[in-house]
Amino acid sequence: MKCDKLMKLLAQTVASRKTASLVWIVLLTGVVLVSATAEAKSKPNELVIRIEEGRDTINRNIYGHFSEHLGRCIYEGFWVGEDSPIPNTRGIRNDVVEALRQIKIPVLRWPGGCFADEYHWKDGIGPREKRPSMVNTHWGKVTENNHFGTHEFLDLCEQLGCEPYICGNVGSGTILEMQEWVEYITFDGKSPMADLRRKNGRDKPWKVKYWGVGNENWGCGGRMRPEYYADLYRRYSTYLRNFAGNRLYKIACGPSGANYHWTEVLMREAGRHMNGIAPHYYCGSGKKSRSATRFSEEDWFAQIKRALYMEELVSKHSAIMDKYDPEKRVAMLVDEWGAWHKVEPGTNPGFLYQQNSLRDALVAAVTFNIFNNHCDRVKMANIAQTINVLQAMILTKGEKMILTPTYHVFDMYKVHHDATLLPVELECGDYQFGDEKIPALNVSASRDKTGKIHISFCNLDPKNIAELICKLRGAKGQNASGRILTADAMTAHNTFDNPEAISTAAFDDFKLKGDILRVTLPSKSVVVLGIK
Ligand code: AHR
């Protein structure tokens, strides 16, 4: 209630009741309430960055990717074939490789996803015209010609300069099949699989560190109970051998969202045999429209709130892991995450092709802040998926390619790769929508190897700017510079006709004086500042 209305009401009460003492009590209470509200409103947003307490490294693999044989991610996205008029290197699109090198893609997960548990790797080697085809039963029941297989994937990773992460088939495969795949890729001596690799044109073994033992085995990967999968994990992982100096980093299928029981059983029964466990969480879409680009503020709020839920998930799964692994030897690898909207009108529903707006950029930015702030346990994350599927970085149409707002967040946040996390304390106002509220701001900070400090800020409120005072505890800054991603509309997105509708720009709405930094964050924005 506004102050003048309250006073009016009180005056009326005086006239009608003439009970002066009661009125004074009410009046005083009202004044106290009004001034408390005013104080809450005027309380500045404050951030303390404890620079001297930096300890943990933000593993660059937190900025990892996921590519599945799904829709147009592999075919048309990465792979166009050697005879394509689209410029390519051994069948792999040059424009895509260049764009992903720009964001320093650190690791790429393949071949799925649900596809991984029905993939038989031997179908994807040898002369392409002789490779058998299969039906991709999960994704649109289309014919998969297996033209993109092990050699093409590892070539892609070499072109990208990133680590490969292969997910093996537990759901419909065999232990022997998975064991032979590792031998095929990494064995250097004479062996049936290494000889087959040589026959297929690759003499030297590759190095593959990250190896997943099945995908979503609680669902599309076999509908297993955690007790059953934990035993299978132990069995499969026994036969995954280290050859020729290649050390495998074995990753168990993790829980879906808040399935804490899965984490508990896996850690208890198989924790000592794994290097990592991989939870999945998709933050869905908005509340009503589910469209990637036509949504209301209600949808914006609901989507961001669901993205922030990652904080609770990571904290609670970490607490269970701490029980069995207090030294944090086993990593959490969130190897599928992102926003999942309705497919674009007129596209195959099994292809999961969606547009990508400023809202998705905010989803990515808060998720990265959460992962950064939990980097003592979270060592890898893989957004779903790199090209043309779900929360993509890149969309393609024939020879055309556009970069999404989410791509720009990866670009802005690459300064955190392998930097030292700086602990932060943030006190901020809320972004209220209807009866619900979330903190309006979201932050993480790090110091890179040259000593430069980077702070990534999100203002989640789509209507109000936020003033923030930052105290750099333990350091003084000489100069700073920044970049921003924002737009006039919440729904802003790039299209093939307007590929630069939303992009990053230089940002200078801040003042740095010694250890105090004052920043004005525009509504619905992502800002990254670098301080020397
Ligand atoms: O990323 C799309 C699908 O989502 C993956 O194939 C599956 O693992 C998850 O359910």
Side-chain angles (χ1 to χ4, degrees), residues 55-357:
R55 189 195 59 193
D56 298 315
T57 301
I58 298 174
N59 194 316
R60 80 177 99 138
N61 289 338
I62 283 176
Y63 296 85
H65 289 249
F66 169 40
S67 57
E68 180 168 10
H69 288 241
L70 193 179
R72 299 188 303 113
C73 182
I74 298 294
Y75 301 106
E76 295 186 39
F78 283 113
W79 178 260
V80 286
E82 285 161 319
D83 300 333
S84 170
I86 298 172
N88 69 82
T89 303
R90 294 180 295 280
I92 296 164
R93 285 182 79 128
N94 293 344
D95 51 356
V96 160
V97 168
E98 199 188 312
L100 292 173
R101 286 182 72 93
Q102 163 66 23
I103 57 173
K104 298 198 163 97
I105 178 174
V107 60
L108 184 61
R109 178 175 181 250
W110 173 84
C114 295
F115 182 79
D117 280 281
E118 61 179 354
Y119 181 61
H120 300 284
W121 69 270
K122 283 185 185 162
D123 294 347
I125 54 172
R128 280 188 207 108
E129 65 287 355
K130 290 203 180 138
R131 295 184 192 175
S133 58
M134 65 179 281
V135 179
N136 190 334
T137 59
H138 280 289
W139 307 117
K141 300 200 173 62
V142 293
T143 305
E144 157 70 53
N145 63 15
N146 277 309
H147 281 192
F148 189 89
T150 303
H151 289 248
E152 290 78 11
F153 172 65
L154 292 168
D155 185 15
L156 168 64
C157 291
E158 283 177 350
Q159 291 190 34
L160 292 170
C162 77
E163 293 266 8
Y165 169 8
I166 291 183
C167 183
N169 180 346
V170 171
S172 70
T174 64
I175 295 174
L176 179 64
E177 194 181 357
M178 199 185 289
Q179 184 187 20
E180 286 186 333
W181 202 2
V182 172
E183 183 187 318
Y184 183 90
I185 295 172
T186 62
F187 195 75
D188 60 344
K190 194 168 167 40
S191 85
M193 290 302 114
D195 288 349
L196 183 58
R197 182 189 72 230
R198 288 186 193 104
K199 195 176 141 216
N200 288 331
R202 172 82 183 196
D203 182 28
K204 273 195 356 212
W206 289 278
K207 291 256 186 280
V208 173
K209 179 175 175 184
Y210 298 106
W211 198 278
V213 181
N215 168 76
E216 296 197 350
N217 302 93
W218 36 262
C220 63
R223 299 209 189 114
M224 299 174 196
R225 292 171 302 111
E227 293 78 6
Y228 179 67
Y229 172 74
D231 281 346
L232 273 190
Y233 173 83
R234 291 167 63 126
R235 216 173 141 208
Y236 272 74
S237 60
T238 304
Y239 299 94
L240 300 177
R241 309 291 187 192
N242 294 325
F243 295 123
N246 185 68
R247 281 201 72 76
L248 290 172
Y249 186 99
K250 299 175 192 171
I251 300 164
C253 160
S256 167
N259 186 349
Y260 300 114
H261 178 62
W262 183 277
T263 303
E264 180 85 41
V265 174
L266 260 289
M267 287 303 293
R268 189 182 68 221
E269 303 300 338
R272 62 192 175 283
H273 303 294
M274 63 177 78
N275 298 103
I277 183 164
H280 288 180
Y281 173 61
Y282 288 94
C283 61
S285 196
K287 248 187 169 163
K288 284 191 175 148
S289 75
R290 296 201 60 232
S291 161
T293 51
R294 288 177 304 282
F295 55 83
S296 62
E297 188 182 343
E298 185 183 9
D299 296 315
W300 168 281
F301 180 88
Q303 174 83 82
I304 303 286
K305 190 171 171 204
R306 287 154 78 140
L308 290 172
Y309 180 52
M310 185 68 92
E311 171 67 39
E312 180 177 328
L313 291 174
V314 170
S315 302
K316 289 192 173 167
H317 286 297
S318 291
I320 296 168
M321 293 176 76
D322 285 348
K323 233 167 74 183
Y324 297 96
D325 174 38
E327 290 83 32
K328 300 190 194 294
R329 187 192 60 79
V330 180
M332 187 188 297
L333 316 163
V334 187
D335 66 13
E336 285 185 35
W337 67 271
W340 192 313
H341 305 299
K342 243 188 202 155
V343 298
E344 283 300 292
T347 64
N348 186 333
F351 282 13
L352 310 186
Y353 176 73
Q354 65 189 40
Q355 250 292 359
N356 192 296
S357 75

Side-chain angles (χ1 to χ4, degrees), residues 495-519:
T495 64
F496 292 96
D497 294 331
N498 192 0
E500 296 285 326
I502 165 165
S503 184
T504 58
F507 175 79
D508 59 8
D509 207 351
F510 59 84
K511 281 201 179 72
L512 175 67
K513 202 163 178 210
D515 58 357
I516 299 292
L517 172 75
R518 289 168 194 274
V519 198

Side-chain angles (χ1 to χ4, degrees), residues 419-435:
T420 304
L421 176 76
L422 301 176
V424 291
E425 284 158 29
L426 173 66
E427 274 195 34
C428 69
D430 289 324
Y431 161 35
Q432 176 132 16
F433 186 82
D435 298 338

